[in-house]
Amino acid sequence: MENYTINTVEKLNEKEKVFLKDALKLTSCEISINRVPKGFKSPFNHKHKQNEEIYIILKGSGIITVDNKKINIKEKSTVKIVPKASRMIENTGNSELTFICIQAKENSLIQSGLKDAELC
């Protein structure tokens, strides 16, 4: 058994959203890569029981609404939303909106960066 999992996200050309949890056998978070057309608006608000969400905007612009507050987003924007906050995303730009969304259990990160590294 290998100590890594690799996956190529080719289906993003066919779908608006690709989840990586199963494809990479993730055990600590869910990651989705999303591509939505101009004019797209989430069909519903949602919130989470345990997971915070981190949005990383790769291309395009739009609005993320958090607890009824509209936040402008654009390429290179990053937004963290706590579990209990309602949220939705919409593409208000002139082109496709492409972003990564990461879900991870709030307050579960114990160490990161060099604190979690070990020289080999």
Side-chain angles (χ1 to χ4, degrees), residues 69-82:
K69 180 177 181 180
K70 295 188 179 293
I71 302 165
N72 291 314
I73 54 170
K74 62 182 181 182
E75 187 174 323
K76 300 179 186 176
S77 294
T78 55
V79 180
K80 181 196 97 166
I81 304 172
V82 300

Side-chain angles (χ1 to χ4, degrees), residues 48-99:
H48 290 275
K49 295 176 183 174
Q50 296 183 35
N51 293 344
E52 62 188 14
E53 283 186 326
I54 301 90
Y55 291 83
I56 303 168
I57 310 306
L58 302 175
K59 179 181 170 189
S61 61
I63 295 172
I64 294 180
T65 304
V66 180
D67 290 336
N68 296 316
K69 180 177 181 180
K70 295 188 179 293
I71 302 165
N72 291 314
I73 54 170
K74 62 182 181 182
E75 187 174 323
K76 300 179 186 176
S77 294
T78 55
V79 180
K80 181 196 97 166
I81 304 172
V82 300
K84 66 181 180 180
S86 68
R87 79 269 337 239
M88 65 179 295
I89 191 166
E90 59 188 296
N91 181 352
T92 58
N94 294 320
S95 62
E96 288 184 340
L97 175 62
T98 305
F99 61 95

